[in-house]
Amino acid sequence: MLEVIQIYWAETLAVLSVVFGTVAATHAAMTKREVRSALGWVGVIILSPLVGAMIYAVAGINRIRRATLISRRALELDEIWRSLSLYAISRETVATQFGPRFGQMKLLGDKVSRHPLSSGNLIAMLTTGEETFDAMCEAIEAAQFSIILETYIFDRDVVGRRVADCLIAAHKRGVAVRVIVDAVGARYSVPSIIGYLEEGGVPVAVFNGQVIMGLRLPYANLRTHRKILVVDGETAFVGGMNIRAGFVGADSARDTHFRVTGPVVADILAVAAEDWHFETGEVLLGPEWRVRLDDALPGAGTAIRAVVSGPDTHIETNHRLLLGAFSVAERSIRIVSPYFLPDTTFIAALNTAARRGVQVDVIVPSQNNLAIVARAMMGQFDQILRDGCRVHLSSGHFDHSKLMVIDRQWCFIGSSNLDSRSLRLNFEIDLEVYDRVLAEQIEDGIDERLATAEQVTLEGLRARSLPNRMIDRLFWLGSPYL
């Protein structure tokens, strides 16, 4: 057989190219939701025989099909889950407190998301790395029953070792500890924190770990970008902050994280438990994984919904919810994002809001940690500015925050960037929050950014040299996979 292949190697390659190319092109044509995306991939596959099919297998298949075993239905045997109905919020209640348009928004969230909007929650904003990691470590050190942590980047630096040491100490005193780190994010530092945790006895799962050891196809391009910490089924932390020293100190990157308690913790825990099951097969249903709502009062506190997105059954949930939010805005839409490269539908929704008289402000960092993303954003800004939206470049250190406020009362916060990767490829978790107090706090931070920001104008973009504009557009062409 080997001799035949050696003699007829050219014919063998031709046959393989036709077979794999046909399979890949057919898959792209049948599964892609946008014509341009389907045509683009078919073109790559045809114009790059065999290589194109391989590239498509790694980067083009954007949907994981996995069983949803750790869900609200699977956990209904626990009486605490049955009691969550006490915290339900009606559309009429939302409409009374926030206006009829947000009553419609609540209905949309019910249809789009698999998680309910619940009362009885409390939320606190953490605006620095020091504040965030102190709060996380304090919660871990006080844990009595269980801890689950899921993150994209977990560096083996001074901050990473501090958090890891707290997790190891909790494990040694009998707390059930589980840690999930993305395979790519785990290798931002060498050696990885994975070995450090395992040496301390902590059970660790690496999300899509075979991407490094043998290319786990066809899902090598799909990452968990979630940042979740749940302690004792009572306190949860979500937001945009990875576990690394880059968020601590005078010269640190800026980011925002949130601590929550209440019924929404049940949904956050279920998401992390489902990801743990996906990687390990273990079902976290013991008494130590119970949700504890001793201090949560039905009808009180803040209305919050967990918004879970990912290339599985939750595909584009964040995208759909945000389009609906733009349609109900009456006064203002204010967005802070480190990577702002949304698709044309997203931009059209923002432009439509601006044409209706809504003040739309988008704040991105002037100093980006990814130069190619900064250039790609610059190549797309003209599409955002044409109809009255405003774009600002915030000064100072890189701002990794993901924040959105609409009409000073509706907030969208969490791990999602506003680019194709977060809106379509990554596993993300965000919170939809109806709370004027939190909205005001976020707005104050946005005002602080705007005070020293540089506004981008169409005139300024057109004044850039032709080579610069061409480079911007070249990187913009690759924006779906940046």
Side-chain angles (χ1 to χ4, degrees):
M1 183 65 178
L2 184 59
E3 292 180 359
V4 172
I5 293 176
Q6 288 176 339
I7 296 172
Y8 299 101
W9 64 269
E11 290 82 356
T12 301
L13 283 178
V15 171
L16 291 175
S17 296
V18 171
V19 171
F20 287 116
T22 300
V23 171
T26 301
H27 187 278
M30 296 298 291
T31 60
K32 294 301 174 186
R33 301 173 60 159
E34 297 180 4
V35 172
R36 286 173 296 178
S37 176
L39 286 175
W41 277 115
V42 170
V44 168
I45 294 164
I46 293 174
L47 296 175
S48 303
L50 197 57
V51 174
M54 293 172 63
I55 294 173
Y56 178 73
V58 175
I61 299 178
N62 302 332
R63 182 88 177 258
I64 285 180
R65 290 165 176 82
R66 60 178 185 171
T68 304
L69 299 179
I70 310 299
S71 64
R72 298 185 73 92
R73 292 190 304 275
L75 296 177
E76 281 176 354
L77 295 177
D78 193 323
E79 63 181 29
I80 194 65
W81 289 91
R82 293 194 295 270
S83 70
L84 288 175
S85 61
L86 298 174
Y87 299 90
I89 298 177
S90 69
R91 173 182 167 187
E92 291 73 23
T93 298
V94 174
T96 299
Q97 295 180 6
F98 299 95
R101 289 196 174 200
F102 284 99
Q104 294 287 339
M105 187 65 204
K106 190 268 179 185
L107 179 60
L108 173 66
D110 292 342
K111 299 288 186 180
V112 170
S113 173
R114 296 190 176 192
H115 299 288
L117 184 71
S118 63
S119 64
N121 302 290
L122 298 177
I123 185 166
M125 185 165 66
L126 308 171
T127 58
T128 67
E130 289 86 353
E131 187 179 11
T132 298
F133 297 127
D134 285 349
M136 290 172 63
C137 288
E138 181 181 348
I140 295 171
E141 289 168 350
Q144 301 179 58
F145 307 105
S146 64
I147 300 167
I148 187 165
L149 185 150
E150 178 176 358
T151 188
Y152 176 55
I153 299 173
F154 195 153
D155 278 352
R156 190 167 175 165
D157 54 23
V158 61
V159 168
R161 288 194 302 272
R162 178 190 176 192
V163 175
D165 287 340
C166 290
L167 293 169
I168 292 169
H171 167 74
K172 289 182 176 178
R173 67 174 183 268
V175 177
V177 180
R178 303 291 186 273
V179 175
I180 313 166
V181 185
D182 185 75
V184 173
R187 284 149 177 92
Y188 270 61
S189 65
V190 179
S192 169
I193 196 69
I194 302 300
Y196 189 84
L197 289 166
E198 289 177 337
E199 289 172 5
V202 174
V204 183
V206 180
F207 192 87
N208 259 349
Q210 294 179 6
V211 170
I212 303 300
M213 301 296 293
L215 287 179
R216 175 173 171 173
L217 300 178
Y219 307 129
N221 194 41
L222 309 180
R223 318 286 356 126
T224 180
H225 194 244
R226 293 168 179 156
K227 288 88 175 174
I228 294 173
L229 172 64
V230 181
V231 178
D232 285 346
E234 183 177 23
T235 302
F237 295 82
V238 296
M241 206 171 298
N242 292 295
I243 301 175
R244 60 190 327 192
F247 295 109
V248 173
D251 297 325
S252 65
R254 185 174 186 175
D255 208 336
T256 311
H257 224 64
F258 298 87
R259 178 178 56 216
V260 294
T261 60
V264 72
V265 173
D267 294 306
I268 299 170
L269 174 58
V271 172
E274 184 171 316
D275 289 341
W276 178 263
H277 176 270
F278 173 65
E279 284 298 335
T280 69
E282 181 186 11
V283 179
L284 305 180
L285 287 178
E288 65 273 23
W289 297 104
R290 289 173 56 92
V291 177
R292 292 165 176 83
L293 303 175
D294 298 339
D295 299 325
L297 299 176
T302 299
I304 304 178
R305 184 199 311 273
V307 180
V308 182
S309 308
D312 53 6
T313 55
H314 301 285
I315 192 165
E316 296 184 356
T317 301
N318 47 10
H319 188 275
R320 296 172 185 173
L321 194 68
L322 292 177
L323 293 184
F326 299 155
S327 72
V328 305
E330 293 184 308
R331 299 187 301 277
S332 63
I333 299 172
R334 308 185 88 182
I335 297 170
V336 177
S337 180
Y339 315 120
F340 188 82
L341 284 166
D343 59 24
T344 54
T345 304
F346 193 102
I347 293 173
L350 283 178
N351 287 336
T352 299
R355 286 194 291 267
R356 291 192 289 107
V358 178
Q359 181 175 308
V360 180
D361 288 289
V362 178
I363 302 104
V364 300
S366 59
Q367 297 185 27
N368 205 295
N369 67 330
L370 298 175
I372 59 174
V373 173
R375 298 300 295 260
M377 288 195 295
M378 196 66 69
Q380 191 184 56
F381 282 157
D382 63 319
Q383 300 177 38
I384 303 163
L385 296 172
R386 287 172 184 165
D387 290 295
C389 297
R390 301 189 300 190
V391 175
H392 312 267
L393 303 178
S394 62
S395 62
H397 300 297
F398 174 57
D399 192 346
H400 194 247
S401 302
K402 305 100 166 50
L403 306 168
M404 184 182 303
V405 181
I406 292 179
D407 289 351
R408 304 182 74 88
Q409 58 185 357
W410 185 92
C411 310
F412 191 79
I413 53 180
S415 66
S416 292
N417 299 308
L418 298 181
D419 58 10
S420 292
R421 180 160 291 280
S422 276
L423 296 174
R424 188 166 292 118
L425 301 178
N426 286 343
F427 291 88
E428 307 280 2
I429 185 165
D430 300 280
L431 300 180
E432 177 191 13
V433 185
Y434 295 75
D435 189 332
R436 294 186 180 91
V437 174
L438 179 65
E440 290 291 339
Q441 291 176 337
I442 297 175
E443 290 266 6
D444 289 343
I446 292 175
D447 289 338
E448 177 189 326
R449 291 171 171 86
L450 291 177
T452 57
E454 175 189 355
Q455 188 168 344
V456 180
T457 64
L458 284 173
E459 294 75 15
L461 292 175
R462 291 165 183 162
R464 289 167 62 83
S465 67
L466 179 60
N468 266 325
R469 284 185 283 146
M470 290 179 63
I471 292 172
D472 294 342
R473 294 295 282 184
L474 179 64
F475 283 119
W476 172 76
L477 289 174
S479 60
Y481 290 95
L482 291 179

